[in-house]
Amino acid sequence: MSIRFLMSAVLAAVPGNLAAQACVEPVRPELAYLEDAGFTGAELREHYRLYFADVEVYLNCLNASSGRIREEARAAAYDYQQVLNRHPHATDAETDGEHNAPEVSMRESGELYLSYKPGSGEGDRE
């Protein structure tokens, strides 16, 4: 049974969201080890072809996961803004004088920023 088949079977049994997050990093073939093990040139080439195919699958998985979590974070940022609009922050003993960020923004870099400017109700957007 191949590792690829086994991983497919395992991921198929995992519920939706968890399976989408289960990007399995490929293991780079060790040339010296493979040569010492007596693999032929054709077998060596096949190991590397399979590795590069696995790298492509892995990178596509990371891209899909990144896009999915970016959208989830944007939705959560929108929800958080609604919370802040409906329940404005007041400095009191409950928060021990700390300020909550009244605005959440996500830059295209994928970085999520929670920023706060006291009194303005708006965060920094660079």
Side-chain angles (χ1 to χ4, degrees), residues 24-103:
V24 179
E25 187 173 339
V27 177
R28 184 178 138 217
E30 293 291 333
L31 179 58
Y33 171 79
L34 294 172
E35 286 178 331
D36 286 346
F39 284 92
T40 66
E43 291 170 327
L44 292 171
R45 287 188 297 276
E46 183 62 17
H47 274 279
Y48 279 93
R49 276 194 287 268
L50 289 174
Y51 169 72
F52 292 125
D54 289 345
V55 166
E56 183 177 9
V57 168
Y58 176 68
L59 293 175
N60 287 335
C61 178
L62 289 178
N63 288 337
S65 294
S66 174
R68 180 186 49 76
I69 196 65
R70 187 174 291 114
E71 289 304 314
E72 287 178 12
R74 280 192 181 114
Y78 175 80
D79 291 347
Y80 182 55
Q81 189 65 49
Q82 298 305 309
V83 168
L84 294 171
N85 290 340
R86 293 179 189 148
H87 308 281
H89 172 71
T91 303
D92 57 18
E94 178 184 319
T95 61
D96 195 29
E98 293 181 17
H99 296 287
N100 292 332
E103 184 172 329

Side-chain angles (χ1 to χ4, degrees), residues 109-122:
S109 66
E111 297 175 6
L112 182 64
Y113 290 90
L114 301 177
S115 57
Y116 176 73
K117 277 188 181 180
S120 72
E122 293 187 13

